[in-house]
């Protein structure tokens, strides 16, 4: 996902997923509590994935989310429990129970 906002300073990148952290640029230009990226990272992590941010050429930021694919999965109806093979981490190692 790419945004075309004010961007993130390189020295702020290591902290952007920290709870309530807001870089100086964000604090000056936008309202908020600094929870959005923390929540996004928690959701992705709980699904066995990764999230990363990279400054975009020119303006903005590119966010990359990688989620493991459930091998052999078939779509289930809402409320129906999914059964089958375990999820694999993005690297293909570290298998976790579904």
């Amino acid at each position: 996902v790419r945004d075309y906002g004010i961007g993130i300073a390189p020295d702020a990148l290591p902290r952007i997923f920290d709870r309530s952290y807001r870089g100086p640029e964000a604090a000056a230009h936008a309202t908020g509590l600094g929870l959005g990226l923390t929540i996004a990272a928690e959701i992705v992590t709980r699904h066995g994935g990764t999230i990363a941010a990279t400054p975009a050429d020119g303006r903005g930021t590119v966010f990359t989310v990688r989620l493991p694919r459930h091998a052999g999965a078939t779509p289930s109806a809402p409320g129906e429990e999914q059964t089958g093979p375990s999820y694999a981490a993005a690297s293909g190692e570290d298998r976790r129970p579904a």
Side-chain angles (χ1 to χ4, degrees):
V1 175
R2 178 178 180 171
D3 75 17
Y4 293 90
I6 59 174
I8 300 170
D11 58 327
L13 277 172
R15 298 197 54 212
I16 63 168
F17 297 108
D18 293 350
R19 178 180 219 102
S20 299
Y21 177 75
R22 298 187 65 208
E25 299 85 6
H29 291 91
T31 61
L33 300 174
L35 297 175
L37 290 176
T38 303
I39 293 167
E42 182 68 23
I43 291 168
V44 170
T45 300
R46 286 183 181 224
H47 283 86
T50 60
I51 185 170
T54 309
D57 292 336
R59 183 175 175 183
T61 308
V62 174
F63 291 89
T64 303
V65 174
R66 294 181 186 266
L67 296 170
R69 182 168 46 177
H70 188 286
T74 56
S76 57
E80 185 179 348
E81 186 173 81
Q82 181 73 37
T83 61
S86 61
Y87 285 93
S91 67
E93 300 173 7
D94 184 25
R95 298 187 67 76
R96 301 168 191 229

